[in-house]
């Protein structure tokens, strides 16, 4: 029978302190989001008369409906394409050990070494020639190319550490390599898939520079750019900014709550592996 020891108490106190550190910015965010603009008291002081007018004003003034739809479209399509392409590319790179496989892997890894800012101007001209400027599809094409090297790196490392026994058994039973990947390997990639899903979703959803570059001058915008529009040269309405930030967080939080069990199991499986 385990006893409640001083070490357990110290660990609980550390965890409680860490939880307070994480919760404090969230408290400030929500507290200011529901505070009237006329209330100029300290952000730490709880709001005595909360209001939801900030959310409706932010929604109308920032055109957050269209921005939210664009962010959802860009993030969903980009992440799905990145995961599908990266998993299919990483499988032969991890299982085939010939020179061309290693050379191809190193070539893909150059995408992790070279900063994408070096290609900003050529990519901008390419998007212009393709007549994609001002369209969310320019962002989708950009993020698919930007996130694939890192995701291939994750998948390849996971596949190299995974035993081939089940694949060999499937091949003996008559499965083709593609069938073996679909029915045997892909279910075993769930931990790293969940990890890649979370990392890519956060990276694409929070991207500010790319939408600002490719959607500038058009009516199309994403949530980070729409929120930045509330910051003026002389006047900044922080209550609307915080309300818009809460609106931006809600979709990601809803997806996390819906997939909470899968995400936790995926990370736990990755740690066990």
């Amino acid at each position: 029978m385990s006893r409640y020891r001083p070490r357990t108490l110290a660990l609980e106190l550390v965890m409680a302190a860490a939880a307070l550190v994480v919760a404090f910015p969230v408290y400030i965010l929500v507290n200011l989001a529901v505070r009237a603009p006329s209330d100029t008291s300290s952000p730490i002081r709880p709001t005595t008369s909360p209001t939801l007018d900030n959310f409706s004003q932010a929604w109308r003034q920032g055109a957050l409906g269209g921005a939210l739809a664009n962010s959802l479209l860009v993030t969903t399509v980009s992440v799905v394409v990145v995961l599908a392409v990266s998993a299919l590319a990483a499988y032969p790179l991890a299982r085939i050990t010939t020179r061309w496989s290693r050379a191809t892997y190193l070539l893909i890894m150059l995408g992790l070494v070279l900063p994408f800012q070096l290609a900003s101007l050529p990519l901008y001209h390419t998007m212009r020639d393709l007549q994609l400027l001002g369209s969310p599809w320019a962002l989708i094409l950009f993020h698919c190319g930007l996130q694939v090297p890192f995701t291939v790196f994750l998948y390849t490392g996971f596949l190299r550490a995974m035993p081939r026994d089940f694949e060999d058994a499937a091949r003996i039973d008559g499965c083709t390599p593609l069938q073996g990947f679909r029915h045997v390997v892909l279910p075993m990639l769930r931990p790293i898939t969940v990890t890649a899903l979370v990392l890519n979703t956060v990276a694409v959803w929070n991207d500010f520079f790319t939408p600002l570059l490719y959607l500038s001058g058009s009516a199309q915008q994403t949530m980070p750019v729409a929120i930045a529009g509330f910051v003026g040269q002389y006047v900044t309405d922080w209550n609307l900014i915080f309300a818009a930030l809460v609106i931006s967080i809600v979709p990601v939080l809803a997806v996390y709550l819906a997939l909470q069990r899968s995400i936790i199991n995926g990370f736990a499986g990755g740690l066990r592996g």
Side-chain angles (χ1 to χ4, degrees), residues 9 146 202:
L9 176 61
L146 180 66
V202 172

Side-chain angles (χ1 to χ4, degrees), residues 59-75:
W59 185 270
R60 292 193 305 269
Q61 296 182 19
L64 297 186
L68 184 61
N70 287 332
S71 290
L72 289 174
L73 173 65
V74 172
T75 302

